[in-house]
Amino acid sequence: MTSAQERKIKQTGCDARFDNLTRQLYATDASIYQIEPIGVAFPKSAQQASLVIRAAADAGLSVTPRGAGTSLVGNAIGEGLIIECSRYNRQITELDLEKRSVRVGAGVVLDQLNDFLKPRGFCFGPDVATSSRATLGGMIANNSSGARCPIYGTTADHVISLEIVMADDRIEKIGPTHDSLHAERTRIGNLIRAASAEMTECWPPGLIKRWPGYGI
Ligand SMILES: Cc1cc2nc3c(=O)[nH]c(=O)nc-3n(C[C@H](O)[C@H](O)[C@H](O)COP(=O)(O)OP(=O)(O)OC[C@H]3O[C@@H](n4cnc5c(N)ncnc54)[C@H](O)[C@@H]3O)c2cc1C
């Protein structure tokens, strides 16, 4: 890490740490792997995440988003800049009991969401075993679920829309009510159509989930 790279990240105004202790703390997740990152950024909003992702790209650093780091396959660690979404981004808003919908920040922990929903007579269906730690951001990325998967499905079955930060720093809203990312959707659609026969073969009828969670 050069001082110029560190300066670029810090200039975004995002809380970011490059000290040895922080780098060691974020060098592991629940996997068997260990990779020491160059630093860790703690964005407070999508806008700040976008700025820090742009600054990392300009500084030639890779980025790895991270929630609670309970993932088992090493996908929450990386050698570049960790974008840590669980320190902030813990707001639960826009509860709509009629539509059975709620808006959560990427850092909201599953137990936190269920504590909020319980007095209203609801819970979030997918019951990942790490519910006291796992964030909704990590659950969405991993398409997590638990023992009640046959009844409630996986996290993807319960996501209505997402606000996402793209690798090129664009902030986009995606979901059935958002008309966004045409080029990307076309590209993914073409990929899926081209591989549909193989996917059908790998995804027998009745199979609900296959790690790592992608429906392919
Ligand atoms: C003991 C144990 C039991 C487990 N049981 C289950 C289980 O029952 N079911 C299950 O599905 N999994 C299980 N897991 C795996 C893991 O706990 C879940 O997948 C969990 O949902 C991951 O959430 P996290 O916040 O820890 O994500 P992390 O581990 O931090 O990240 C997981 C992935 O999500 C990405 N990510 C995180 N936040 C964001 C974000 N804001 N934006 C974009 N990408 C993001 C990361 O880059 C990474 O690829 C278990 C793990 C352990 C250690």
Side-chain angles (χ1 to χ4, degrees):
M1 174 79 170
T2 65
S3 53
Q5 286 173 316
E6 188 172 328
R7 212 171 32 248
K8 258 192 199 309
I9 304 297
K10 287 194 165 159
Q11 272 168 355
T12 62
C14 182
D15 183 7
R17 308 289 159 87
F18 301 92
D19 58 278
N20 185 45
L21 175 62
T22 305
R23 293 205 319 273
Q24 299 307 325
L25 286 173
Y26 285 88
T28 56
D29 54 7
S31 72
I32 57 169
Y33 307 109
Q34 188 165 16
I35 305 174
E36 192 183 315
I38 267 175
V40 185
F42 303 88
K44 291 186 173 149
S45 62
Q47 287 69 22
Q48 215 169 49
S50 159
L51 288 175
V52 93
I53 285 171
R54 162 54 55 201
D58 290 347
L61 300 173
S62 62
V63 294
T64 304
R66 179 172 172 124
T70 67
S71 203
L72 296 159
V73 292
N75 49 344
I77 52 175
E79 61 190 6
L81 188 71
I82 302 293
I83 310 290
E84 211 273 17
C85 302
S86 71
R87 178 166 294 184
Y88 305 105
N89 312 300
R90 294 208 167 204
Q91 313 81 347
I92 301 176
T93 54
E94 297 176 31
L95 174 69
D96 187 327
L97 292 178
E98 257 175 46
K99 288 189 185 153
R100 297 181 166 219
S101 67
V102 68
R103 183 183 166 100
V104 295
V108 167
V109 171
L110 179 57
D111 276 1
Q112 178 197 349
L113 176 61
N114 281 332
D115 286 348
F116 173 83
L117 294 175
K118 196 174 177 186
R120 283 113 176 151
F122 289 98
C123 72
F124 188 73
D127 56 332
V128 58
T130 45
S131 63
S132 64
R133 301 286 183 279
T135 63
L136 268 295
M139 287 181 67
I140 291 167
N142 273 358
N143 194 16
S144 301
S145 58
R148 298 190 202 125
C149 180
I151 299 167
Y152 294 114
T154 64
T155 299
D157 298 319
H158 300 274
V159 176
I160 297 169
S161 71
L162 290 172
E163 182 180 48
I164 59 169
V165 181
M166 307 283 286
D168 61 6
D169 82 8
R170 273 178 298 159
I171 301 175
E172 296 281 356
K173 291 209 168 104
I174 55 170
T177 57
H178 300 290
D179 191 23
S180 54
L181 300 182
H182 289 279
E184 288 81 358
R185 276 162 39 190
T186 306
R187 217 175 308 141
I188 291 170
N190 290 341
L191 275 173
I192 290 174
R193 267 188 293 281
S196 65
E198 194 186 336
M199 283 159 57
T200 310
E201 207 176 291
C202 296
W203 193 267
L207 183 67
I208 296 165
K209 178 177 173 175
R210 191 198 292 285
W211 192 260
Y214 301 109
I216 53 178

